[in-house]
Amino acid sequence: MSQIGTQTRNGDAFHSSDRDGFLHRAFLRGSGRSEQSVRARPVIGIANSWSELNPCNAGLRQLAEAVKRGITRAGGLALEFPTISLSEPFVRPTTLYLRNLMAMDVEEMITASPLDGVVLLGGCDKTVPAQLMGAASAGKPAIALAAGPRATGRWNGEPQTIDDLWPLADKRRNGEIDDVRWARLEGCLIPGVGTCNVLGTAVTMALLAETLGMALPGTSLLPATSAARAAAAEATGRRAVELARSGRAPDQFITPEALENAFRVLCAVGGSTNAVIHLEAIAGRLGHRLGLDAMTEWSRTTPVLADVRPSGPHLLEDLQDAGALPAVLDRLGHLVHTDALAGTGEPWSAVLERHREQDGRTESPALRPAAEPVFESGALALLRGTLAPDGAVFKRSGAEPGLWRHRGRAVVFDGPADLHARIDDPDLDVDADSVLVLRGVGPLGGPGMPEVGQLPIPRKLLDKGVTDMVRISDARMSGTATGAVVLHVAPESAAGGPLGLVADGDVIVLDAMTGRLDLEVEAAELARRTPAAVPAAPERGYAALYHRHITQSPEGCDFDFLVAARSAREGEQS
Ligand code: FES
């Protein structure tokens, strides 16, 4: 599980009287540090995913300076280092494809460097889970701080957030938005640095890191460029010093109880479906597993409390005003394991008690009381059935309730190229009751499960006013997107899953209330069909490593050799 005791180094390296210690001190003094400062303990690394290739994380350079202030004032030595950074809009084939590479980078740098602890500075979607996975495996004290959400923009006099892009893109497709307005939108859709300003994957993962005790309470939603976030960065630096002195590693925070809390928060805020994969991957690094059955039960018993974009009408800053994550946990009441640890090292019960005593929290429709939820339960439906023997995910809170139960005939697309070639064909045999199926876009087939699961509505249906229909794939979907979209179908078609056998006209039955996804085709008929082809194995480099070792979505799409030993996982739900 942890590499401590095998290869891990720590700040002792700067204190030994032998030649090695001399060299460590001498090289650090070469960077302009005093004799006293190179002997400060603990030594805290700052794993910074700042990159000009990742605009969402552009604020991390300033935040790192504030973290260093906190570390130095608490008596530690701060040493910042860069890691890979993964930008959703820039990286191809997908950021999930490279998430495990980033996790390996983070783990190996923490392990190999003379550090007593680490601050993880992430932001854009995959950077947060990659850092948590790497730090969990490295086994040194660690605390995270996310970049924070960017400001809300304005376009045509209205508040504009990133999720507005999807309906606007549809309007652009059918000619409702001309070139001039489209160009103006490009200039104001992203009004500043920071992560996407809705409950997409980045903000969801920041909230889950906070729930897991891997970030300071109340920090996830602070605006990216606010003084409050800079102050939180300084406090995070101070906390990293405390953590390193205490020796408490991530396995003391990321417990089964904390993972359940995190999943319930995901449901209560109607967060990103991507988080289901990332939570399993983080859990797997420490020998835990959430499992489809437990997640189904937790989702069923957790009310949806946040009514925030992309699933609801309110803004992220409204959720911040309503008390942010502590208020969500507080409203979940007995559903939360309050003995799990917060990022301060206290049990959540102590943090929530303080939260209750604070004045000035406004009641906001962005966060409902548990007695008046947005939905009674089931933000995320975990599905199983003949079309998804190992599971699939459906975000009920983002879909029209009329489509939670649906029966329709399949219209099948083999990969994104086939989809884009035919989806707007006027002769496509499709109506509003059809079920659009996209395959060949899973962890192996994509590769990297591209976020193409929200298939576009065929133009001829858009023109008739159709805004949602059932779509099914082995892909993922952007956390900023919504719709009646079944995702993460496992096993994927490229791994022999039944999705690869679906033919045009087959009847598919979705029941997101009972958690079923079935293909109504006789087994004998399916046996006559040709399974989807397995993609050829790449011969070299990361592509070859990925192809050989990537696991399916129920295992978190981690590499099989990075997941904790099987023996540590026995006895847990599958
Ligand atoms: Fe980076 Fe959304 S694209 S956080």
Side-chain angles (χ1 to χ4, degrees), residues 496-572:
L499 194 67
L501 301 174
V502 182
D504 282 338
D506 287 351
V507 172
I508 292 176
V509 183
L510 164 70
D511 189 336
M513 300 304 290
T514 58
R516 294 291 306 180
L517 183 66
D518 291 298
L519 177 64
E520 288 196 344
V521 178
E522 295 293 329
E525 166 58 21
L526 288 179
R528 280 193 287 276
R529 295 183 184 175
T530 309
V534 179
E539 288 182 3
R540 64 173 297 280
Y542 181 74
L545 181 80
Y546 180 96
H547 185 90
R548 274 183 217 131
H549 296 287
I550 191 67
T551 60
Q552 294 286 291
S553 51
E555 281 82 45
C557 300
D558 203 355
F559 290 154
D560 52 11
F561 61 87
L562 293 174
V563 177
R566 183 76 199 166
S567 59
R569 296 151 61 92
E570 279 175 5
E572 296 184 22

Side-chain angles (χ1 to χ4, degrees), residues 417-436:
D418 182 33
L419 173 72
H420 292 125
R422 295 195 293 123
I423 189 73
D424 287 338
D425 184 338
D427 295 329
L428 185 69
D429 186 10
V430 66
D431 60 33
D433 290 330
S434 299
V435 174
L436 303 181

